[in-house]
Amino acid sequence: MKYAFAKRVRHLQSSAVRDILKVVGQGDVISFAGGLPDDELFPMQGIEEAFSRVFAAGKGSALQYAETEGFRPLRETIIERMKNKKGITNYSSDEVLVTTGSQQAIDLFSRVMLGPGDVILTEDPTYLAALQVFNSYEANIIAVDSDDDGMLPDDLELKMKQYKPKTVYVVPTFSNPAGRVWSLERRKALIRLAHKYNVVVFEDDPYGELQFSPDEKYTPLAALDDGSHVLYTSTFSKIAVPALRTGWIVGPYQVIRMMSQAKQANDLHTNSLSQQALYQLCTNFDLDGHIQSLISVYRSRMEAMVDCLQKADLPELSFVKPKGGMFLWVELSERLNTTILLNEAVKNGVAYVPGEPFYAGLAKKNTMRLNFTHSSPERIEKGINALVDVLSNNVEQQEHFFV
Amino acid sequence: MKYAFAKRVRHLQSSAVRDILKVVGQGDVISFAGGLPDDELFPMQGIEEAFSRVFAAGKGSALQYAETEGFRPLRETIIERMKNKKGITNYSSDEVLVTTGSQQAIDLFSRVMLGPGDVILTEDPTYLAALQVFNSYEANIIAVDSDDDGMLPDDLELKMKQYKPKTVYVVPTFSNPAGRVWSLERRKALIRLAHKYNVVVFEDDPYGELQFSPDEKYTPLAALDDGSHVLYTSTFSKIAVPALRTGWIVGPYQVIRMMSQAKQANDLHTNSLSQQALYQLCTNFDLDGHIQSLISVYRSRMEAMVDCLQKADLPELSFVKPKGGMFLWVELSERLNTTILLNEAVKNGVAYVPGEPFYAGLAKKNTMRLNFTHSSPERIEKGINALVDVLSNNVEQQEHFFV
């Protein structure tokens, strides 16, 4: 039988990241592909104790259907944490929606906001699975010119005037995939323009707490706004564990309320046993200490990767050293197409994500995203060497060919 | 600021069921409203042990990101259970998608199938939160004439010809809200027509295992089909616990694959710690024994509710005694509007769900859905008496008025 799918799934393809993950996960390939935290660093004992506390309370209601908006004490804890860690003070626990990972926050926001043809402005490159979501709602994605400090205000204003976008999607702190951090000026410019042109900003901040230099301060857009124009989403996946699929979003009550109704239709509510356990984890476990130890390990892995790449001395290879997060974004000689080279790299024992699918506009095919959090420094060295082998062989071949 | 929501959320309203639940949950009202299992009957110890087993294995990978399709051993267990319990043999574990509750299965199916204006045929009344989903994808919902044995084949064929529907949504076993069970003939007729007109059938079976008479056999549509025209969804919410938000769907590989891609965009994957725990529960706990004890308690509560209603001897009250599931559907004098009466009922200490929002077509406003699984027989008696008070007062007043 031929199944007549809806038009909106035309664009729906399995994400390159996850398809690679599937194949790579099975063999002995060193993978810099997935956006994975390190399993070994998960707070297993803390999580186990958190669940024990919930079970010890012995209440059947812990396992019952629950409110769509989320477990109230967890929402209060989230508000408190955002206040203390991020300076985000505009929201009360009524303006938090707990989501099935922050991926669902992106999806629900798009569901209530984006009709076919509606314009959304994004950085370029940007988070691949967000592009997937926007495409699935048949939105019109327009890339805004950016540099290492964030979107260029002139181009942003031009495109706000020209396209009358519904929203702007940004990952301003340790972006995925580019590892960028927006400057304060650029952040303020975005907020100013959002107010001027009445555009909602969607701030995706999964990595913000994985900050390598303790002295710098990266103020979230949500802390620069007055509570009317920014939706801010984050997650427990990077600072605690991904398996529990628990994220959250805060923003103007009207939007959160609409998203909550969409969530009711989507999955009724987020796993509430996990929400209760995460509340226990935040309350009875040194989550901040845990995050500090993550940062210290991840920073040293990032340094190891940077060292290897620098030693490799590959012509035309460039990257910006990440100030946090999980990714290193590499630009190569324009003669190299990373999508084509992936197969050869995997055969040589190393995987990455080609840069192409991260672009909303014209893709730079000579780019790749490398994850540095999931491998030990030893494996990083081995993997980067294997990668550099493939790259330099191909640059030479190409040179040869072009001569 | 005025937020410009997408057109598709026009229909999106908080479900009556859940709004009532919220208010009722706070006071001392006896609630027959929510579709809740009884907290006291949850297999707390089984669930706790299941989580302990997962933690005892001590693998960090248990807490890592996981495959969108679901935890493979759980998918295999689901296939095995469906084979043994339901005679559903057409599917392998590649054709199962684990979902964040079966609500998400309804949502993902609609997302990949239903474009604006696409026709979906339903029973009438039918599951309220499914109607919400179909509306949110701007589908055109058409009700098929039904009686206590299921959809009338003549009307079904007429509407398949006339509307060329994308799909037919049915809850053939212990339907929500009407508590109906389709006859085998009607089931076969639906499958025959689905093949004749090339229409996909979506079979929603959350309650099938809560069967009160052990001797009867209700064959799922998925067991009558050849694997090409039926999608079948069920859940752990009613036989284990709702808090873990774990359901599943099986069906033709092409559709499941497309839904899995939609799920990737929606929430990446279902909580995988819970999936592993449910696998342990299925493997190391007497789930079937547990279900038998649920059935015995729920059946006696249903009997208690039926007795009370029969004793009340309210003129023009009618219902069909449920053969399973969680609900009793009541039809009253046409002079009574249950939506209007709800407030008075709640003031008198009892809540129900008015029948109106369950209708896709013309609503019978003199209907209500009563849940019998969440209250003890004593509270059922007290609650039904309070309800009958309100109803008989109002029937009398109306009579008085009409004289």
Side-chain angles (χ1 to χ4, degrees):
Chain A
M1 179 179 173
K2 204 176 163 297
Y3 303 95
F5 293 109
K7 211 178 90 191
R8 76 175 70 82
V9 298
R10 259 178 333 192
H11 293 283
L12 209 56
Q13 294 162 349
S14 197
S15 108
V17 176
R18 296 186 67 82
D19 282 353
I20 293 163
L21 247 176
K22 256 188 211 171
V23 181
V24 166
Q26 290 153 14
D28 191 35
V29 173
I30 295 173
S31 179
F32 304 135
L36 304 182
D38 190 335
D39 310 4
E40 306 285 322
L41 302 176
F42 288 144
M44 276 298 265
Q45 208 189 329
I47 297 280
E48 186 173 357
E49 279 171 19
F51 275 91
S52 294
R53 281 176 198 271
V54 179
F55 287 123
K59 285 191 193 148
S61 60
L63 298 174
Q64 187 56 279
Y65 282 109
E67 271 192 298
T68 302
E69 291 77 1
F71 182 56
R72 175 74 69 173
L74 180 65
R75 281 148 69 200
E76 280 160 6
T77 302
I78 287 168
I79 288 293
E80 208 50 38
R81 259 191 88 79
M82 288 196 305
K83 210 171 274 178
N84 299 335
K85 298 271 152 192
K86 301 277 175 184
I88 299 174
T89 57
N90 287 315
Y91 310 102
S92 76
S93 59
D94 285 330
E95 289 145 331
V96 190
L97 176 65
V98 178
T99 53
T100 306
S102 64
Q103 183 68 31
Q104 195 195 32
I106 300 172
D107 188 51
L108 292 175
F109 171 77
S110 305
R111 184 165 174 162
V112 306
M113 273 294 166
L114 301 176
D118 282 350
V119 171
I120 177 162
L121 303 182
T122 66
E123 301 165 272
D124 211 23
T126 190
Y127 175 44
L128 163 52
L131 291 176
Q132 254 193 322
V133 171
F134 307 146
N135 275 321
S136 82
Y137 291 105
E138 302 173 77
N140 183 12
I141 305 167
I142 304 285
V144 176
D145 293 345
S146 311
D147 62 19
D148 288 338
D149 292 328
M151 284 181 177
L152 302 177
D154 287 351
D155 192 54
L156 179 59
E157 179 153 22
L158 198 76
K159 282 170 176 160
M160 280 190 174
K161 273 190 207 165
Q162 186 179 348
Y163 294 107
K164 305 199 185 333
K166 276 280 189 80
T167 183
V168 184
Y169 171 80
V170 288
V171 189
T173 309
F174 320 134
S175 71
N176 177 0
R180 276 178 187 150
V181 181
W182 284 40
S183 69
L184 184 60
E185 287 63 37
R186 294 288 176 82
R187 291 171 193 247
K188 285 181 177 167
L190 172 53
I191 295 298
R192 187 175 50 77
L193 292 171
H195 280 256
K196 183 168 174 190
Y197 294 96
N198 249 327
V199 176
V200 171
V201 175
F202 189 97
E203 179 175 27
D204 188 4
D205 188 29
Y207 312 108
E209 296 212 40
L210 301 177
Q211 175 179 331
F212 296 155
S213 43
D215 303 332
E216 306 222 28
K217 201 177 162 217
Y218 313 119
T219 312
L221 300 169
L224 297 171
D225 182 49
D226 62 2
S228 63
H229 283 65
V230 174
L231 285 112
Y232 172 96
T233 182
S234 190
T235 175
F236 287 104
S237 294
K238 321 299 180 193
I239 57 172
V241 291
L244 302 185
R245 311 300 309 121
T246 306
W248 67 89
I249 184 162
V250 292
Y253 180 73
Q254 278 181 67
V255 183
I256 294 296
R257 166 112 186 112
M258 191 62 89
M259 288 178 63
S260 161
Q261 289 170 12
K263 181 170 169 67
Q264 211 177 85
N266 186 195
D267 68 1
L268 297 185
H269 64 81
T270 296
N271 191 309
S272 47
L273 184 65
S274 291
Q275 288 186 63
Q276 293 166 74
L278 283 169
Y279 167 69
Q280 292 297 340
L281 190 82
C282 290
T283 311
N284 294 300
F285 171 81
D286 180 14
L287 187 56
D288 290 332
H290 172 68
I291 293 170
Q292 284 313 313
S293 70
L294 286 182
I295 288 173
S296 128
V297 174
Y298 289 165
R299 185 175 39 210
S300 70
R301 291 178 182 186
M302 179 275 289
E303 300 279 6
M305 189 173 271
V306 164
D307 284 353
C308 289
L309 284 168
Q310 277 168 343
K311 271 187 210 139
D313 196 29
L314 202 72
E316 301 177 71
L317 178 147
S318 69
F319 58 88
V320 176
K321 187 173 167 179
K323 293 176 175 170
M326 302 172 68
F327 304 112
L328 195 147
W329 180 248
V330 179
E331 206 167 322
L332 300 161
S333 157
E334 281 184 18
R335 286 169 298 180
L336 293 175
N337 180 323
T338 55
T339 306
I340 293 174
L341 288 178
L342 181 59
N343 247 334
E344 192 178 331
V346 170
K347 276 183 198 147
N348 206 36
V350 60
Y352 56 83
V353 189
E356 199 174 348
F358 294 96
Y359 284 92
L362 196 66
K364 286 190 182 177
K365 299 186 179 180
N366 54 328
T367 53
M368 60 171 65
R369 190 191 76 177
L370 300 176
N371 165 274
F372 51 76
T373 57
H374 192 243
S375 309
S376 66
E378 296 69 37
R379 280 175 74 82
I380 285 175
E381 192 181 344
K382 200 174 155 202
I384 292 293
N385 289 342
L387 179 62
V388 167
D389 274 357
V390 172
L391 296 177
S392 45
N393 282 344
N394 278 276
V395 170
E396 278 163 28
Q397 276 175 29
Q398 297 277 2
E399 273 171 354
H400 195 70
F401 182 80
F402 276 106
V403 165
Chain B
M1 179 179 173
K2 203 176 162 298
Y3 302 96
F5 293 109
K7 212 179 91 193
R8 75 175 69 82
V9 298
R10 258 178 332 191
H11 293 283
L12 209 56
Q13 293 162 350
S14 197
S15 108
V17 176
R18 296 187 65 83
D19 281 351
I20 294 162
L21 248 177
K22 254 188 211 171
V23 181
V24 167
Q26 290 154 14
D28 192 34
V29 173
I30 295 174
S31 179
F32 304 135
L36 304 182
D38 190 336
D39 311 3
E40 306 284 322
L41 302 175
F42 288 143
M44 276 298 267
Q45 208 188 329
I47 296 280
E48 186 172 357
E49 279 171 20
F51 275 91
S52 294
R53 280 176 198 271
V54 179
F55 287 124
K59 285 190 193 150
S61 59
L63 298 175
Q64 187 56 280
Y65 283 108
E67 271 191 300
T68 302
E69 291 77 2
F71 183 57
R72 175 73 69 173
L74 181 64
R75 281 148 69 198
E76 280 159 6
T77 303
I78 286 169
I79 288 293
E80 207 51 38
R81 260 191 87 79
M82 287 196 306
K83 211 171 274 177
N84 299 335
K85 300 270 152 192
K86 303 275 174 183
I88 298 174
T89 57
N90 288 315
Y91 310 102
S92 76
S93 58
D94 285 330
E95 288 145 329
V96 191
L97 176 65
V98 177
T99 53
T100 306
S102 63
Q103 183 69 30
Q104 194 195 32
I106 300 173
D107 189 52
L108 293 174
F109 172 77
S110 305
R111 184 166 175 162
V112 306
M113 273 296 167
L114 300 176
D118 281 351
V119 171
I120 177 162
L121 302 182
T122 66
E123 300 166 273
D124 211 22
T126 191
Y127 175 44
L128 164 53
L131 292 177
Q132 252 193 325
V133 172
F134 306 146
N135 275 322
S136 82
Y137 291 105
E138 303 174 76
N140 183 12
I141 306 167
I142 304 284
V144 176
D145 293 345
S146 310
D147 62 19
D148 288 338
D149 292 328
M151 283 180 177
L152 302 177
D154 287 351
D155 192 56
L156 179 59
E157 180 154 20
L158 197 77
K159 282 169 176 161
M160 281 191 174
K161 273 190 207 164
Q162 187 179 348
Y163 294 108
K164 306 199 185 333
K166 276 282 188 79
T167 184
V168 184
Y169 170 81
V170 288
V171 190
T173 309
F174 321 133
S175 70
N176 177 359
R180 276 177 186 151
V181 182
W182 285 39
S183 69
L184 183 60
E185 286 64 37
R186 294 289 176 81
R187 290 170 194 249
K188 285 181 176 167
L190 172 54
I191 295 298
R192 188 175 49 76
L193 292 171
H195 280 257
K196 185 169 174 190
Y197 294 96
N198 249 327
V199 176
V200 171
V201 176
F202 189 98
E203 179 176 28
D204 188 3
D205 188 29
Y207 312 108
E209 296 214 40
L210 301 178
Q211 175 179 330
F212 296 155
S213 45
D215 303 332
E216 306 220 29
K217 201 178 163 217
Y218 313 119
T219 312
L221 300 168
L224 298 171
D225 182 50
D226 62 2
S228 63
H229 282 65
V230 174
L231 285 112
Y232 172 96
T233 182
S234 191
T235 175
F236 287 103
S237 295
K238 321 298 180 193
I239 58 173
V241 291
L244 302 184
R245 311 299 310 120
T246 307
W248 68 89
I249 184 162
V250 293
Y253 180 73
Q254 278 181 66
V255 183
I256 293 296
R257 166 112 185 112
M258 191 63 90
M259 287 177 63
S260 159
Q261 289 171 10
K263 182 171 168 65
Q264 212 177 85
N266 184 196
D267 68 2
L268 296 184
H269 64 80
T270 296
N271 190 310
S272 48
L273 184 64
S274 291
Q275 289 186 65
Q276 292 166 74
L278 283 169
Y279 167 69
Q280 292 297 340
L281 190 82
C282 291
T283 311
N284 294 300
F285 170 81
D286 180 13
L287 187 56
D288 290 331
H290 171 69
I291 293 170
Q292 284 314 311
S293 69
L294 286 182
I295 287 173
S296 127
V297 174
Y298 289 165
R299 185 172 41 210
S300 70
R301 291 179 182 186
M302 179 275 290
E303 300 278 7
M305 188 174 273
V306 164
D307 284 353
C308 289
L309 284 169
Q310 278 168 342
K311 271 187 211 139
D313 196 28
L314 201 72
E316 300 176 73
L317 178 148
S318 70
F319 59 87
V320 175
K321 188 173 166 178
K323 292 175 176 170
M326 302 173 67
F327 304 112
L328 196 148
W329 180 248
V330 178
E331 207 167 319
L332 300 162
S333 158
E334 280 184 16
R335 286 169 298 178
L336 293 175
N337 180 323
T338 56
T339 305
I340 292 174
L341 289 178
L342 181 59
N343 248 332
E344 192 179 330
V346 170
K347 276 184 198 148
N348 206 37
V350 60
Y352 57 83
V353 190
E356 197 174 348
F358 293 97
Y359 284 91
L362 195 66
K364 287 190 183 177
K365 298 185 180 182
N366 54 328
T367 54
M368 59 171 65
R369 189 191 77 177
L370 300 176
N371 166 273
F372 52 76
T373 57
H374 192 243
S375 309
S376 67
E378 296 69 38
R379 280 175 74 82
I380 286 176
E381 193 181 342
K382 199 175 155 201
I384 291 295
N385 289 343
L387 180 61
V388 167
D389 274 356
V390 172
L391 297 177
S392 45
N393 281 345
N394 278 277
V395 170
E396 277 163 28
Q397 276 175 27
Q398 297 277 2
E399 271 171 354
H400 195 69
F401 183 80
F402 276 106
V403 165

